[in-house]
Amino acid sequence: MFGSKSTHRAHVGTEGRGYGRYAHTVTCTCGRQYGPYNDRTRAEKTAKQHEKTGR
């Protein structure tokens, strides 16, 4: 797929921190983790970017 050796599947996990605040962590199948972000849009952007570049 796209000629890349490994495919990265990143997903955004949401964890409630209480008081209506949430932490969004990006986890990928390659074992990398990003975050936590307090903005879901930013977390999803990071996930997409990582799937594309592998970084």
Side-chain angles (χ1 to χ4, degrees), residues 3-26:
S4 64
K5 293 182 293 299
S6 63
T7 49
H8 293 278
R9 286 263 133 262
H11 81 277
V12 180
T14 304
E15 182 191 320
R17 288 275 168 94
Y19 304 108
R21 289 183 306 148
Y22 294 93
H24 306 282
T25 317
V26 178

Side-chain angles (χ1 to χ4, degrees), residues 37-49:
Y37 302 99
N38 48 15
D39 182 13
R40 184 173 175 94
T41 317
R42 178 141 171 250
E44 282 173 353
K45 207 151 104 184
T46 305
K48 275 205 184 70
Q49 183 78 8

